Amino acid sequence: MDLLDAARPLYKGNLHCHSTLSDGALTPRKVKAFYRERGYDFLAVTDHRLLGEETHMEDGLLVLSGLEMDFTLAGEALHLVGVGMDAAVAEADLLRSPQACIDLMRAHGGRVILAHPAWSLNSLSTVSGLQRLTAAEIYNSVSSYPWSADRADSSHLLDVAFAHGVRLGLVASDDSHAYDGEAGRSFTVVQADALDAPSLLDALDHGRYYASQGPAFRRLSVRDGRIEVECSPVSHILFTSNRPWAMGRCLSGQELTCGAYRVNPDETFVRVQLVDSQGRKAWSHPIWL
């Protein structure tokens, strides 16, 4: 079974950023220009509690409607990024509760991403209690220094959630605010039939995407109890699962472009992580076994 197929087109995008309509440094027009000039194919401008432009194609860039909703819970925050909703969602009571927010975004055609769970100090009970999420941010660029404390990487928290049966895809996002180094650092690559909203959202629904800061997955397959990876040249290929330890889960070398991992009988999921010579990472979402 091929989870990513080298023969199908790939599109690069950012699903979480801000403009001057909330607390970002650039206007929406300049945000779109920033990402278009860096070769991005799709973008969601997700200002706080404010639905942006309706989904449309603009000068070769697919712009998805978006917004970010925030909730304060005991000992933690909870931020939900919605993308691809219709304009009527702006009239909905998205602040009623986190689950109601997710349900309303989905009812209006959107997909919902759990934003920066490590930065938010999200607990296992909170993450496992949310239904109908599409994905979570495994990496959030602005949630590290010099813009914030060092809680950009949510892999530990999410691995615990996966080990307890939570099923989510994984994206990487800039959460751009200042546009002084955090923007253009982390992105999501989607394998879709075409660069349009229905194709992109269908790919998100069916797990045809990965998160990255530079390294690229060329092919990701499951065959005869083995997970097989082909990728751009990297220094490490890591296979992480619900098992604290397993033989052969870290492959290291110079200019690695492929690797494989034999699945153990008690593993319920495996996700693959690439690390290149510059320390940049890419993440598959969990492969459920």
Side-chain angles (χ1 to χ4, degrees):
M1 177 177 63
D2 287 331
L3 305 176
L4 288 172
D5 180 359
R8 301 180 71 179
L10 295 167
Y11 301 103
K12 174 182 177 180
N14 181 32
L15 293 169
H16 185 181
C17 64
H18 299 275
S19 77
T20 50
L21 296 180
S22 61
D23 56 350
L26 299 183
T27 65
R29 180 179 64 82
K30 290 183 177 179
V31 171
K32 289 180 286 185
F34 178 95
Y35 283 100
R36 185 186 300 111
E37 290 164 4
R38 285 157 179 79
Y40 282 62
D41 301 299
F42 63 91
L43 176 71
V45 182
T46 55
D47 282 306
H48 295 284
R49 301 191 181 191
L50 178 67
L51 184 68
E53 302 168 86
E54 292 189 46
T55 298
H56 66 286
M57 183 67 76
E58 183 176 324
D59 297 330
L61 180 71
L62 176 62
V63 180
L64 298 170
S65 66
L67 80 165
E68 181 176 9
M69 299 301 297
D70 59 280
F71 300 86
T72 301
L73 310 180
E76 59 186 299
L78 180 65
H79 287 213
L80 299 169
V81 168
V83 299
M85 293 82 62
D86 60 48
V89 76
E91 306 302 320
D93 183 12
L94 298 178
L95 287 171
R96 191 189 331 159
S97 71
Q99 189 59 57
C101 180
I102 296 169
D103 293 341
L104 287 164
M105 287 179 175
R106 295 298 301 257
H108 287 276
R111 306 299 186 271
V112 188
I113 298 164
L114 178 64
H116 43 64
W119 181 91
S120 299
L121 296 176
N122 289 144
S123 65
L124 173 61
S125 61
T126 294
V127 176
S128 61
L130 297 171
Q131 306 298 314
R132 304 185 72 203
L133 287 171
T134 300
E137 289 177 348
I138 193 166
Y139 198 92
N140 178 282
S141 297
V142 83
S143 296
S144 186
Y145 50 85
W147 311 283
S148 184
D150 190 15
R151 291 210 295 264
D153 190 333
S154 293
S155 56
H156 170 71
L157 166 65
L158 292 170
D159 281 346
V160 173
F162 300 149
H164 284 80
V166 175
R167 296 198 174 201
L168 293 172
L170 295 174
V171 300
S173 301
D174 286 334
D175 194 2
S176 317
H177 285 75
Y179 297 87
D180 67 351
E182 87 285 15
R185 186 178 177 190
S186 305
F187 51 89
T188 300
V189 177
V190 175
Q191 188 161 77
D193 293 328
L195 184 59
D196 57 43
S199 298
L200 195 75
L201 296 177
D202 181 72
L204 291 177
D205 288 340
H206 291 90
R208 298 193 302 272
Y209 59 98
Y210 66 88
S212 184
Q213 297 175 316
F217 285 93
R218 306 297 189 205
R219 183 176 65 86
L220 184 61
S221 303
V222 181
R223 287 190 173 87
D224 299 323
R226 284 162 46 96
I227 295 173
E228 300 176 355
V229 182
E230 294 177 8
C231 58
S232 60
V234 296
S235 300
H236 307 281
I237 303 175
L238 311 176
F239 299 89
T240 300
S241 75
N242 57 296
R243 234 180 137 164
W245 181 88
M247 183 75 74
R249 68 171 13 159
C250 178
L251 308 180
S252 299
Q254 295 183 352
E255 304 290 301
L256 294 175
T257 58
C258 62
Y261 176 73
R262 173 68 62 183
V263 175
N264 294 284
D266 59 342
E267 287 178 307
T268 57
F269 78 91
V270 175
R271 66 174 180 84
V272 187
Q273 184 168 313
L274 310 175
V275 186
D276 71 11
S277 60
Q278 301 176 55
R280 299 178 305 176
K281 300 175 182 178
W283 304 262
S284 80
H285 36 80
I287 301 165
W288 297 99
L289 303 170

